[in-house]
Amino acid sequence: HLGIELIINPYEVAAEHLAHLAMYPQVTDFNLFLGDQVALVRIPIAEGSPLQDQTVMSFGQNAHIPQTLIAIIQRAGVSNMPSRDTVIRAGDEVYFFCELHRLKGLFRFLRLPERPARRVFINGGGHVGYALARRLERERVDVRILELSEERCHWLSQQLDHTLVLHANGCEAAALKAEGIEHADYFISVTDTDQVNIVSCTLARQHGAAHTLALVKQPEFIPIIAQRRVIDVTFSPRLLTARKILRFVRGENLDSFFAFLNSDIELLELKVRSGMRCCERRLADLELPAGTLVGAVKRGKELFVPRGDDTLRVGDTILLLQQRRNRQATTAFFLESPQPEPRPLADLPTRASA
């Protein structure tokens, strides 16, 4: 026993994230919480979406999408926690809290296809590409890897059971068309070079791939690419790994910590303990710090997205969204026990007179 509590393989972290996105092509970010039972997903709002020009409150009152909450709205590269009266616009990217088994219902409401990716092209057969192909094989996805190194192609073909390994250049339009790129549900480029990943994804999109995803090692490129909308999703393995490590950092009451990329919004997973200010009180009665939202509650085997009439109880595990600038106030509210009120002088015991 070496006393090590957490060992992280960055390639597997990246592959896990990519596999989730491939299985849910409707979303551009995917994260699981509360024992992998609650999903936090980001979905772009297109022109004509049922959510376009609707308020957050009207979405919350819709009986067709129970136990689902709008947590964050990203607009023009800026992330904000919306109010009840916030109007959702076409072009927004919206984060939803949703029980995992209810995701298909959310997709139906938004008129998005429910099926996962069936054919995925992976450009680059290195560590990430190999780890991703293994995961997708287990989901019975038709996987095709494009790899420049003939030696690496030979090794991949021996290690993978159901993946078609192609000795081809993902930056050549002719090669992409020859392999039927127009039938790809997802084209994912994970080579060691940012420029190759960006160019190959752009070409794949031009020639018919439904969705594209690029590995980008330099995080500063990500918002630039997002603004130009030439690639559906970009990600940085370094930032994903850092986020994974932060989720493991915890204190006495804090189970995990999660930081959103390119945002000042953070998520805490914490247990409600006796003596906390929030214990046995309705959410509507809590004077929560500004920019704070309780997104989901796990109570024993029960999971639910709380409303104002719900009460937090000792033993609950909650997902709490906060803005970084209000971290101190939020921490004081949820993680510090309130000090007892001073007793009036009249209530204090007095020494009996001799």
Side-chain angles (χ1 to χ4, degrees), residues 5-117:
E5 295 186 66
L6 180 69
I7 298 175
I8 290 180
N9 181 336
Y11 307 125
E12 290 294 341
V13 171
E16 177 185 36
H17 185 72
L18 294 173
H20 280 145
L21 292 175
M23 298 311 296
Y24 297 95
Q26 309 87 340
V27 310
T28 56
D29 195 9
F30 184 99
N31 303 279
L32 291 173
F33 298 94
L34 298 179
D36 292 347
Q37 294 177 286
V38 172
L40 178 66
V41 297
R42 182 177 63 196
I43 299 178
I45 305 302
E47 288 282 352
S49 166
L51 269 188
Q52 183 181 356
D53 299 328
Q54 299 296 309
T55 64
V56 170
M57 182 172 64
S58 65
F59 172 83
Q61 294 172 340
N62 193 308
H64 297 293
I65 37 176
Q67 298 298 316
T68 303
L69 176 73
I70 292 176
I72 299 170
I73 295 178
Q74 293 184 332
R75 181 175 297 165
V78 178
S79 300
N80 286 298
M81 295 168 61
S83 69
R84 293 157 52 92
D85 298 323
T86 299
V87 177
I88 300 162
R89 306 296 187 194
D92 289 349
E93 292 203 89
V94 178
Y95 274 98
F96 298 87
F97 272 121
C98 184
E99 289 182 70
L100 187 58
H101 70 90
R102 297 184 186 274
L103 267 184
K104 287 188 177 180
L106 176 60
F107 297 154
R108 279 195 295 272
F109 171 77
L110 295 175
R111 299 176 195 156
L112 298 172
E114 298 175 39
R115 70 175 182 85

Side-chain angles (χ1 to χ4, degrees), residues 55-329:
T55 64
V56 170
M57 182 172 64
S58 65
F59 172 83
Q61 294 172 340
N62 193 308
H64 297 293
I65 37 176
Q67 298 298 316
T68 303
L69 176 73
I70 292 176
I72 299 170
I73 295 178
Q74 293 184 332
R75 181 175 297 165
V78 178
S79 300
N80 286 298
M81 295 168 61
S83 69
R84 293 157 52 92
D85 298 323
T86 299
V87 177
I88 300 162
R89 306 296 187 194
D92 289 349
E93 292 203 89
V94 178
Y95 274 98
F96 298 87
F97 272 121
C98 184
E99 289 182 70
L100 187 58
H101 70 90
R102 297 184 186 274
L103 267 184
K104 287 188 177 180
L106 176 60
F107 297 154
R108 279 195 295 272
F109 171 77
L110 295 175
R111 299 176 195 156
L112 298 172
E114 298 175 39
R115 70 175 182 85
R118 294 175 180 169
R119 177 173 293 182
V120 173
F121 280 65
I122 301 173
N123 184 37
H127 295 297
V128 176
Y130 167 62
L132 175 59
R134 281 192 312 151
R135 286 178 176 270
L136 293 179
E137 279 189 340
R138 293 198 290 267
E139 301 294 337
R140 302 183 182 277
V141 176
D142 177 1
V143 184
R144 304 179 180 207
I145 290 184
L146 288 74
E147 170 57 43
L148 276 175
S149 166
E150 188 172 351
E151 181 181 354
R152 184 68 176 177
C153 284
H154 180 69
W155 184 88
L156 288 167
S157 64
Q158 291 180 322
Q159 300 299 316
L160 297 167
D161 297 323
H162 306 292
T163 297
L164 178 61
V165 180
L166 304 165
H167 184 216
N169 186 348
C171 285
E172 292 182 356
L176 295 177
K177 289 191 287 185
E179 299 304 332
I181 191 63
E182 69 274 13
H183 301 299
D185 294 308
Y186 236 126
F187 180 91
I188 303 173
S189 191
V190 290
T191 74
D192 289 331
T193 307
D194 287 355
Q195 290 84 348
V196 168
N197 295 332
I198 294 168
V199 169
S200 62
C201 281
T202 304
L203 277 174
R205 167 56 64 83
Q206 289 176 351
H207 292 284
H211 301 279
T212 56
L213 195 157
L215 181 154
V216 178
K217 292 183 177 179
Q218 294 180 267
E220 57 270 23
F221 285 179
I222 293 177
I224 298 172
I225 297 169
Q227 287 175 4
R228 299 196 174 192
R229 300 184 181 274
V230 293
I231 299 172
D232 292 306
V233 187
T234 52
F235 78 102
S236 162
R238 180 161 59 88
L239 291 181
L240 286 177
T241 302
R243 196 159 70 173
K244 188 84 169 181
I245 293 170
L246 283 173
R247 288 189 66 173
F248 187 73
V249 176
R250 56 184 186 265
E252 181 181 354
N253 297 326
L254 186 62
D255 286 348
S256 71
F257 174 91
F258 180 89
F260 288 86
L261 304 181
N262 304 312
S263 170
D264 74 335
I265 298 174
E266 304 167 335
L267 187 148
L268 308 179
E269 186 174 329
L270 57 89
K271 279 205 179 294
V272 176
R273 301 188 188 278
S274 179
M276 285 185 173
R277 289 180 174 85
C278 59
C279 271
E280 307 302 332
R281 295 176 62 190
R282 294 168 65 246
L283 283 178
D285 296 333
L286 294 178
E287 295 181 0
L288 294 173
T292 304
L293 174 70
V294 178
V297 178
K298 184 176 183 180
R299 179 174 297 157
K301 294 183 179 180
E302 181 188 5
L303 281 167
F304 60 94
V305 173
R307 305 296 178 188
D309 289 335
D310 288 311
T311 300
L312 298 181
R313 300 177 183 170
V314 174
D316 288 351
T317 301
I318 65 174
L319 288 180
L320 183 71
L321 282 169
Q322 67 178 17
Q323 292 178 307
R324 188 177 302 125
R325 61 179 176 270
N326 299 321
R327 182 191 294 169
Q328 186 173 357

